[in-house]
Amino acid sequence: MTTAIQTPAPQLAITWPLLPEDFILPDDPVENTDQPLLAAALRQPLTSFPELCQDALIVSNFALCAAIDAKIICKAPDWMYVRPVQPWRKNTARRSYTPHTEGTIPQVVMEFLSATYGEEYSVESTENIGKWFFYERVIQVPRYVIFRPNTGRIEVYGLESGHYKPQEADESGRYLIPGLDLFLGVWEGTHEGRTGFWLRWWDAQGNLLLWSEEQREAERQRAEAESQRAEAERQRAEEAQALLAQERERTQSLLAKLREMGIDPEQLQ
């Protein structure tokens, strides 16, 4: 497992100013077409749980900001979950998030690595602040996830005594993400036209949180199973009625034969 080499960092004056309206954010393009799909696939199932989405910020390639020695620094995680955050009351689109000033620190940030990667492991703390250093020492995000979509390799780091330490997966190969109280793991299959490895959520009971199309398919299968049960119940009822009718017919035939023999069935009771 790849880990960053920790180097002594200078004492930094960290503050939490709002991003100025005229601040020019980097306009870097998304590295590949997989990243938006991976991010959306993580967010989509959470929308079925209001308790996870209310007052939350669930974003991808979105500016996470702080000021170091009065200089505003922004990093854009490939995926980020923060809850709670203050309501956004402006008419303009939100383009950044500053912890402590606008809400709490993110519970988790994620980076999706392509064949080549940049500062995801960087602990540079002076000239060009690295993402690792920024998440670990500045923002102090409790969980940092690095995922390689091409191979399905996942690394989960937890903040312990101010530094990231590799986290151990459970027996199912999944990692608990505090703050969401969900388990994160790797799933292989096809979704949105992409076949490969995905990051997905499981609950504490080991149930996979379903995408919308999976929910529809599950509902269809449940409806079909219910229809089959109803049809089987109807057939059993019809068979029972047919048997009852046959029994009545046999009884009536027997009574008729007794009468033909001059025997009154009522006297036999």
Side-chain angles (χ1 to χ4, degrees), residues 89-104:
R89 303 191 184 281
K90 298 182 180 180
N91 293 327
T92 57
R94 188 170 206 156
R95 66 191 191 118
S96 68
Y97 177 73
T98 302
H100 301 292
T101 300
E102 297 184 278
T104 188

Side-chain angles (χ1 to χ4, degrees), residues 27-173:
D27 191 22
D28 297 332
V30 174
E31 289 188 21
N32 55 58
T33 57
D34 283 351
Q35 289 192 1
L37 294 175
L38 293 166
L42 278 165
R43 186 184 192 280
Q44 189 207 92
L46 299 182
T47 60
S48 297
F49 300 87
E51 67 276 13
L52 293 177
C53 295
Q54 185 177 8
D55 302 325
L57 182 65
I58 310 172
V59 289
S60 57
N61 199 30
F62 189 86
L64 176 62
C65 304
I68 303 176
D69 296 335
K71 178 183 178 181
I72 293 180
I73 304 294
C74 296
K75 299 296 178 182
D78 289 330
W79 198 86
M80 177 172 70
Y81 178 92
V82 194
R83 181 175 182 269
V85 301
Q86 297 175 4
W88 182 252
R89 303 191 184 281
K90 298 182 180 180
N91 293 327
T92 57
R94 188 170 206 156
R95 66 191 191 118
S96 68
Y97 177 73
T98 302
H100 301 292
T101 300
E102 297 184 278
T104 188
I105 60 176
Q107 279 77 14
V108 59
V109 295
M110 302 188 193
E111 297 290 347
F112 310 142
L113 299 190
S114 58
T116 59
Y117 52 86
E119 55 173 316
E120 288 84 3
Y121 293 103
S122 173
V123 295
E124 170 62 45
S125 61
T126 54
E127 297 300 324
N128 181 26
I129 301 295
K131 282 189 173 181
W132 183 291
F133 180 86
F134 187 73
Y135 299 150
E136 176 193 65
R137 303 294 295 278
V138 179
I139 306 296
Q140 298 183 342
V141 182
R143 288 294 185 274
Y144 180 25
V145 177
I146 299 177
F147 178 57
R148 290 173 167 79
N150 291 340
T151 64
R153 177 178 173 181
I154 180 175
E155 302 166 29
V156 178
Y157 298 93
L159 195 65
E160 301 176 13
S161 301
H163 294 284
Y164 281 140
K165 304 296 182 184
Q167 302 298 291
E168 294 295 330
D170 66 9
E171 62 276 7
S172 299

Side-chain angles (χ1 to χ4, degrees), residues 203-223:
D203 64 19
Q205 290 71 45
N207 301 308
L208 178 66
L209 271 58
L210 301 180
W211 290 317
S212 57
E213 69 271 21
E214 293 173 325
Q215 293 176 352
R216 290 192 295 269
E217 177 61 19
E219 287 295 333
R220 186 194 67 78
Q221 291 181 1
R222 279 195 290 269

